[in-house]
Amino acid sequence: GQTEAALKHFDEAFQINRTLKDGAGATVCLNSLKAAYIRLGDASRASQCVTLIQEYFPDQQVESVTEELEAELAEAEAAGDAPLQAALHVQLGDATDKHHDVCLHHYRAALSLFQTLEDEKGVEECFWKISLIQIAQADYELALESLTAASRRFEAPSWRDGKPETVLHLAHLLYNSALCHLSLNNYHQAAEVLEECIKLREECEDEAGVEEAHNQLGIVYSRLGDTRKAMASLSRGAGGSFIQQDHAPGRVVGVTSLASTLMNLKRDEDARKSIAKHETMLSVYKTRGDMKSEANCYQILGQAYLETQQLLKAIDAFQACAEMREELGDTAGLAAALKRKGSALFLGGDMPGAIHDLQLYLHLVSDRADRKVFLSKNFEESRREEVEACCVLGRALQIKGELPAASEALKRALALSHESQDRVGERKCLEAFAELYREVWALKKAAAHLERALALSIQLHDKHGEASCVTALGQVYLARGDSGQAIKCLEEALALCKQSVQAASEAHCLINIADYHLNQGELEQAKAHLERAARLCKEQMDQRGEARALCGMSQANLLLGEAYVAIDELMEAMNIRKALGDRLGEGECLRLLAEAYCSVGKLSTARKVAEQAQNSAQASGAVVE
């Protein structure tokens, strides 16, 4: 009867057998773990055990969790055991959580049985699980109805049972209800519910939960126009201590950007703590000769270096991780390291290196394609990673001028996103195809793909994706010479970013609008937008965006006759990009510097800088014009 203790021992045994590469022993342990999880009613964990068996030992025969549960359900139905039927329907819903329609069917069947049995706890659990699916499907009105039903027992004055878990559960129900109200633009209701949620979480001393709720409350107050309350909530939410720190990067431009500014500062601080911790652990693992832990450490360090914009260190960490994974014979780990290194090389402007590593990653995952497990979250995640890799590869090939190969990479990404029903991935693929069509001046096709991507973003309630698609449409209209439609799209994208408090995206929208004004010869307007964008990027610690804004400001100043100011701005942008390890961006700065030196008659300097720009472009694999 000590199932939880047994779980711990089975898990330890599995880890040992996996290390020893004892397939038979590991399979026995996983099957035992699966049975234990089913006994505990945790169908999701049981499904993960099935996934591991099929991933690590593809030749082993294994019965899926759903098959076992369906067989048990048939027996329970034949025996007329309603409580067991209800419990099994819940477990089947948990096991099929990727397939929302199937999942809902089981939860609703369980709900009906629990209502007949007058099992209030079971009814509450079903309504709660149903609400989560409805939120995932963006059906917020129905989700609110389910959440109200799930919290019905809390309407009684005597709902408190002295357990903090009960209070936290109510707080979680209220938090999800507030998110639904926020999505439906019911700001007053959202504020009221969040305030109640915060009181309950403070009662339980749930600091992380209080911060989370304050962040949302700050956004609600900013939408209601109450700046004072918005500032108070946001500073309490994302760690207000960051506002007063000396290293905080400049003045916050406005309340709409405060939330993301604080979040970025907190994320940067967390990443730096992680770096300090894992750099210390790295030396310990090296001393012990523990190569597996050392490889894991390098993987984590690579991600943390990316978070803190230390691109060259990230590339070195992923390279070290890949070498160790290969030596250990860990194909899955090697593939993951190559994918991350390839993406980092792309960010650094090394297109040949990025193409090589991403193609090798895709080759490795193709070899393991027969291990598909469609009910597995691991399968879904691996497909998402593959789609992302294909999109980055397509962009790298496009920059290198290999357009047919870029098209093939994007076709593969699109097929994968359809296969795994990944609509976010599909949107990214359509955007990438639109960029490719814009490159070859097939503007009608580009616009058509962006319209499809925009429709998907609207269906997904993805404001960031919506803003991205509308921005790209504006650039297509600008290329077609339709300046009226172009500025309309660009300003709509800016409004979307402000509405959803995306300060970093807002900055890039301002840069795009400034490009429009530059094309129209409206230099002062362009400069004003770029100055604000540079301030936003600085406070968001978006060094890439800041360098882009500085390059734009240099072009405006050059056209206004302020050539030496333009040169200073380009030097600053180039230093930022050099520090980031962005060779492609550095090459762009050199090219613009050559033009600036020409404008002031420094032809010898301009020639040298132009040669450096050409060498930089060739080194990064970009097409040299």
Side-chain angles (χ1 to χ4, degrees):
Q2 299 179 349
T3 308
E4 291 185 1
L7 276 174
K8 182 181 176 183
H9 293 306
F10 282 135
D11 186 53
E12 288 174 358
F14 165 65
Q15 299 298 339
I16 294 167
N17 281 314
R18 183 170 65 171
T19 304
L20 295 171
K21 296 184 179 178
D22 180 357
T27 304
V28 169
C29 292
L30 284 169
N31 275 312
S32 300
L33 280 167
K34 182 186 73 167
Y37 281 127
I38 289 173
R39 182 177 294 177
L40 289 172
D42 193 340
S44 291
R45 290 282 185 88
S47 290
Q48 287 175 17
C49 293
V50 173
T51 300
L52 285 170
I53 295 170
Q54 293 181 317
E55 185 173 339
Y56 288 108
F57 316 108
D59 297 328
Q60 297 287 340
Q61 294 296 316
V62 59
E63 188 175 7
S64 76
V65 173
T66 51
E67 288 173 349
E68 288 189 19
L69 291 172
E70 282 167 357
E72 287 185 42
L73 179 60
E75 290 176 11
E77 285 172 348
D81 189 343
L84 181 57
Q85 288 177 54
L88 288 168
H89 273 299
V90 170
Q91 289 183 47
L92 276 163
D94 293 343
T96 56
D97 59 352
K98 181 184 170 185
H99 302 280
H100 287 163
D101 291 339
V102 178
C103 194
L104 275 174
H105 163 74
H106 286 296
Y107 288 148
R108 283 174 177 152
L111 175 62
S112 178
L113 287 163
F114 282 131
Q115 286 172 332
T116 304
L117 295 164
E118 297 182 355
D119 183 339
E120 290 183 7
K121 188 177 178 182
V123 168
E124 182 184 314
E125 182 187 9
C126 288
F127 272 123
W128 166 243
K129 289 175 181 289
I130 288 168
S131 75
L132 295 178
I133 295 173
Q134 289 165 336
I135 289 170
Q137 293 178 329
D139 199 341
Y140 300 113
E141 290 182 355
L142 280 178
L144 275 173
E145 290 178 14
S146 298
L147 287 164
T148 302
S151 54
R152 196 150 286 148
R153 72 178 167 107
F154 296 103
E155 294 171 4
S158 57
W159 65 267
R160 289 179 179 273
D161 56 8
K163 296 178 182 177
E165 295 85 1
T166 306
V167 180
L168 284 173
H169 181 59
L170 174 57
H172 203 37
L173 287 167
L174 291 170
Y175 181 76
N176 276 18
S177 297
L179 293 184
C180 292
H181 282 303
L182 183 56
S183 298
L184 293 167
N185 300 325
N186 301 331
Y187 301 131
H188 290 286
Q189 293 94 319
E192 185 180 330
V193 174
L194 281 167
E195 284 168 356
E196 182 62 27
C197 170
I198 288 166
K199 286 177 187 175
L200 293 170
R201 285 179 170 178
E202 284 176 341
E203 181 185 323
C204 297
E205 298 181 353
D206 177 13
E207 282 301 311
V210 169
E211 286 186 5
E212 178 185 50
H214 266 299
N215 286 330
Q216 295 297 336
L217 185 57
I219 292 169
V220 170
Y221 280 135
S222 70
R223 303 262 180 96
L224 287 168
D226 193 332
T227 303
R228 183 181 62 80
K229 285 187 176 180
M231 294 286 279
S233 283
L234 289 170
S235 60
R236 173 69 179 86
S241 58
F242 284 106
I243 294 178
Q244 303 300 328
Q245 288 186 9
D246 294 335
H247 71 263
R251 181 178 67 82
V252 174
V253 175
V255 67
T256 55
S257 66
L258 178 59
S260 50
T261 299
L262 291 170
M263 283 296 194
N264 283 341
L265 285 165
K266 196 169 189 296
R267 190 160 49 241
D268 183 77
E269 181 72 9
D270 290 344
R272 291 186 187 280
K273 285 179 183 176
S274 177
I275 288 169
K277 174 186 171 183
H278 286 93
E279 282 179 342
T280 303
M281 292 303 298
L282 196 60
S283 58
V284 174
Y285 294 139
K286 282 181 179 177
T287 305
R288 288 181 188 168
D290 186 349
M291 190 180 289
K292 184 177 179 181
S293 297
E294 194 178 344
N296 290 338
C297 206
Y298 271 122
Q299 182 99 337
I300 294 166
L301 277 170
Q303 288 298 119
Y305 287 138
L306 282 179
E307 284 281 339
T308 53
Q309 302 187 68
Q310 300 180 67
L311 200 54
L312 297 176
K313 283 189 175 182
I315 291 168
D316 289 343
F318 289 135
Q319 174 63 29
C321 177
E323 289 170 358
M324 289 178 182
R325 300 283 196 206
E326 188 171 15
E327 192 172 339
L328 289 164
D330 180 359
T331 307
L334 172 61
L338 285 170
K339 189 254 181 183
R340 283 158 180 74
K341 184 190 165 204
S343 298
L345 287 167
F346 172 79
L347 290 173
D350 183 354
M351 298 308 145
I355 290 166
H356 173 269
D357 283 356
L358 290 170
Q359 285 180 335
L360 186 52
Y361 159 76
L362 291 168
H363 173 71
L364 287 172
V365 294
S366 293
D367 284 349
R368 302 174 73 235
D370 60 322
R371 305 186 185 186
K372 296 174 186 176
V373 184
F374 285 93
L375 293 180
S376 162
K377 289 180 181 176
N378 289 348
F379 168 77
E380 199 171 76
E381 183 60 33
S382 68
R383 280 293 173 267
R384 192 177 296 116
E385 292 265 328
E386 205 171 334
V387 168
E388 287 175 6
C390 287
C391 286
V392 175
L393 176 61
R395 181 69 183 129
L397 289 164
Q398 181 183 334
I399 291 169
K400 203 165 180 285
E402 298 179 17
L403 300 185
S407 178
E408 288 303 313
L410 294 177
K411 282 178 185 174
R412 175 173 174 173
L414 195 57
L416 287 166
S417 65
H418 286 155
E419 178 185 334
S420 56
Q421 298 176 355
D422 177 9
R423 294 196 293 170
V424 174
E426 184 181 351
R427 175 188 66 75
K428 289 178 181 177
C429 294
L430 290 168
E431 279 193 89
F433 261 119
E435 176 66 23
L436 185 62
Y437 283 127
R438 189 159 70 92
E439 178 94 357
V440 296
W441 286 87
L443 301 179
K444 282 187 178 179
K445 284 189 175 182
H449 278 70
L450 288 169
E451 292 285 0
R452 284 170 59 194
L454 178 59
L456 276 173
S457 298
I458 292 168
Q459 288 172 20
L460 294 166
H461 295 266
D462 178 4
K463 295 291 182 186
H464 178 78
E466 203 175 329
S468 175
C469 293
V470 174
T471 298
L473 269 172
Q475 290 169 334
V476 169
Y477 283 126
L478 194 59
R480 287 166 64 172
D482 191 342
S483 57
Q485 278 292 104
I487 192 63
K488 183 181 175 183
C489 285
L490 294 173
E491 287 177 347
E492 185 184 339
L494 180 61
L496 284 165
C497 291
K498 285 182 175 179
Q499 185 186 18
S500 51
V501 199
Q502 299 172 29
S505 300
E506 182 183 340
H508 287 276
C509 284
L510 287 167
I511 295 170
N512 290 326
I513 291 172
D515 287 341
Y516 164 83
H517 286 303
L518 278 174
N519 284 329
Q520 299 298 307
E522 296 159 358
L523 304 180
E524 292 294 346
Q525 280 179 279
K527 192 174 173 182
H529 283 307
L530 288 162
E531 285 171 352
R532 178 177 168 80
R535 285 202 307 274
L536 275 169
C537 289
K538 192 173 185 67
E539 75 178 42
Q540 296 293 307
M541 295 182 293
D542 179 6
Q543 291 178 286
R544 287 178 176 278
E546 188 182 353
R548 186 183 168 206
L550 285 166
C551 286
M553 286 164 65
S554 75
Q555 294 308 287
N557 280 318
L558 196 60
L559 293 168
L560 287 166
E562 299 284 348
Y564 286 101
V565 175
I567 287 168
D568 288 343
E569 287 164 344
L570 285 168
M571 291 297 290
E572 188 180 350
M574 187 167 71
N575 288 335
I576 290 172
R577 285 172 168 173
K578 190 177 286 186
L580 287 172
D582 181 0
R583 283 199 278 176
L584 199 62
E586 190 182 342
E588 183 195 7
C589 289
L590 287 166
R591 180 178 61 78
L592 294 173
L593 263 175
E595 293 175 8
Y597 282 127
C598 275
S599 70
V600 293
K602 294 189 174 183
L603 301 181
S604 174
T605 306
R607 187 178 296 109
K608 288 178 184 176
V609 173
E611 287 172 359
Q612 290 174 18
Q614 185 176 31
N615 292 337
S616 178
Q618 287 173 339
S620 65
V623 177
V624 181
E625 295 179 0

